[in-house]
Amino acid sequence: MPTVSTVRGPVDVEELGQTLMHEHVFVVSTEHLDNYGKGGWWDEEFRVEDAVRKLGALAAKGVRTIVDPTVWGLGRYIPRIQRIAAALPELNIIAATGIYSYHELPHQYEHRGPGLVLDMPDPMIDDFVRDLTVGISDTGVKAAFLKCVVEQDGLTPGVERICRAVARAHTRTGAPITVHTNSFTQSGPVALDMFAKEGVDLTKVVVGHAGDTNDLDYLMRLADTGATLGMDRFGLELYNPTAQRVATIATLCERGYSDRMVLSHDAACFMDYFGGMWDEALATAAPKWRYDHIHDDVLPALRASGVTDEQIEQMLVLNPRRHFS
Ligand SMILES: [Zn+2]
């Protein structure tokens, strides 16, 4: 039976169980934290305990695995995630590699690569492959998938180099990909066309944030490539209200697409985008953006819209298992 790398080590894919395919534990820039958080808005012990409590409550709903696409650019810091994973043996956390950038390449890769000051094979690809096959830094934790972004400005030179490096790390290792897309500007096909030209197996790609739109033609066009739709921002009502997200999924299930969708919130225990005022920002702007929204509100609404238990099992268990097999 195939296994998948998790923060605690390899797990049989049959044991992943109910899986939320896009949840962050922390989105905290290490530079922001080291320079402004310590002694200020960041309390390490409080935040770790808070995360264990929030994710423990999610596990109590029946979720066995979360897939965490926090990479460089979002503040990936695996030792803290290892503490959470050690405290929650009932929950698997799957880590990612890649780079989260809407425009620029990190300067650390600007001068190394084909045709650059240091003319050499792209070191980004080797770094991603190392995370997937050897481990992230000195943690011993292997990433199990790749993450990149194609936002409204499309394939800027920086984004294109990152996405092509992700594609090549995929073709070298077979690791699946989650690409953050902008459904309002419909950047999904830009990402998939580029991946296809790079030889990526599109059945191993999740088009992240596809669920922000209710444009069925757009969603079916993406799904018909073999890619999986990330219906993954439940609770972010600002982008698309829950009732609309549910109606779109129900219609796609009716049309036979339940094998091409996964569910999630894109939530986090703490994000530093609001300085230390995460809990206040959440309560004001997005009170439903919590890890338990899907189990408390969305699944009953899907059932009431005619989605069957088999289709829910497909989206929560079978599609994630296939993605990591
Ligand atoms: Zn995210």
Side-chain angles (χ1 to χ4, degrees):
M1 204 49 68
T3 62
V4 56
S5 298
T6 76
V7 171
R8 278 191 306 271
V11 167
D12 190 323
V13 293
E14 299 285 328
E15 283 162 23
L16 293 178
Q18 287 191 20
T19 302
L20 299 185
M21 284 286 282
H22 191 130
E23 304 293 350
H24 302 273
V25 179
F26 296 111
V27 175
V28 185
S29 150
T30 49
E31 276 199 317
H32 190 200
L33 180 62
D34 284 341
N35 288 284
Y36 298 103
K38 290 176 182 170
W41 46 261
W42 181 258
D43 178 337
E44 180 84 18
E45 294 312 307
F46 174 80
R47 286 296 162 193
V48 167
E49 282 166 25
D50 179 65
V52 169
R53 186 179 55 76
K54 287 172 178 165
L55 292 170
L58 176 65
K61 303 271 179 197
V63 171
R64 287 288 153 267
T65 304
I66 59 167
V67 177
D68 182 350
T70 308
V71 292
W72 182 352
L74 288 167
R76 184 181 70 179
Y77 182 64
I78 295 297
R80 189 178 298 120
I81 306 302
Q82 287 178 293
R83 290 188 63 190
I84 314 287
L88 290 171
E90 65 274 34
L91 186 73
N92 302 306
I93 304 174
I94 295 180
T97 185
I99 291 178
Y100 184 86
S101 172
Y102 286 19
H103 300 103
E104 306 292 325
L105 189 69
H107 295 301
Q108 290 83 358
Y109 292 114
E110 212 175 286
H111 305 296
R112 294 178 291 153
L116 300 176
V117 177
L118 295 181
D119 191 359
M120 59 192 284
D122 191 338
M124 213 183 327
I125 304 171
D126 289 333
D127 286 350
F128 295 161
V129 169
R130 182 184 190 281
D131 283 353
L132 293 161
T133 58
V134 178
I136 298 166
S137 188
D138 59 355
T139 63
V141 172
K142 289 180 191 170
F145 69 110
L146 292 141
K147 165 81 179 283
C148 58
V149 174
V150 180
E151 252 295 334
Q152 60 181 347
D153 293 332
L155 295 176
T156 66
V159 164
E160 178 165 359
R161 192 167 146 207
I162 293 165
C163 289
R164 289 194 191 280
V166 159
R168 286 169 199 183
H170 158 89
T171 54
R172 264 208 240 164
T173 63
I177 298 172
T178 289
V179 55
H180 162 121
T181 61
N182 185 322
S183 286
F184 304 104
T185 61
Q186 305 203 335
S187 68
V190 178
L192 294 183
D193 289 349
M194 181 268 305
F195 284 151
K197 286 187 190 118
E198 288 286 339
V200 169
D201 173 0
L202 296 185
T203 68
K204 290 293 175 191
V205 177
V206 171
V207 182
H209 315 324
D212 286 347
T213 182
N214 306 304
D215 181 335
L216 294 168
D217 290 335
Y218 172 71
L219 292 169
M220 290 188 296
R221 180 153 66 102
L222 293 174
D224 288 340
T225 66
T228 297
L229 305 173
M231 313 308 264
D232 56 14
R233 274 178 167 169
F234 272 103
L236 265 183
E237 304 270 296
L238 296 167
Y239 294 151
N240 196 9
T242 294
Q244 298 297 314
R245 293 179 190 270
V246 164
T248 296
I249 292 174
T251 305
L252 288 171
C253 282
E254 244 174 62
R255 295 187 187 182
Y257 287 95
S258 62
D259 66 338
R260 300 258 72 93
M261 291 186 279
V262 291
L263 308 179
S264 215
H265 306 91
D266 195 16
C269 297
F270 181 87
M271 282 183 81
D272 68 349
Y273 285 20
F274 304 92
M277 297 182 65
W278 165 245
D279 298 303
E280 294 84 344
L282 202 60
T284 309
K288 288 189 184 169
W289 201 26
R290 308 180 317 261
Y291 294 119
D292 48 12
H293 179 45
I294 286 178
H295 280 71
D296 287 356
D297 308 318
V298 173
L299 298 184
L302 285 171
R303 289 190 187 101
S305 306
V307 176
T308 65
D309 286 340
E310 289 71 30
Q311 288 168 327
I312 288 172
E313 163 108 352
Q314 181 85 45
M315 295 185 282
L316 274 183
V317 179
L318 303 181
N319 295 343
R321 181 193 299 169
R322 180 189 66 212
H323 190 66
F324 286 107
S325 293

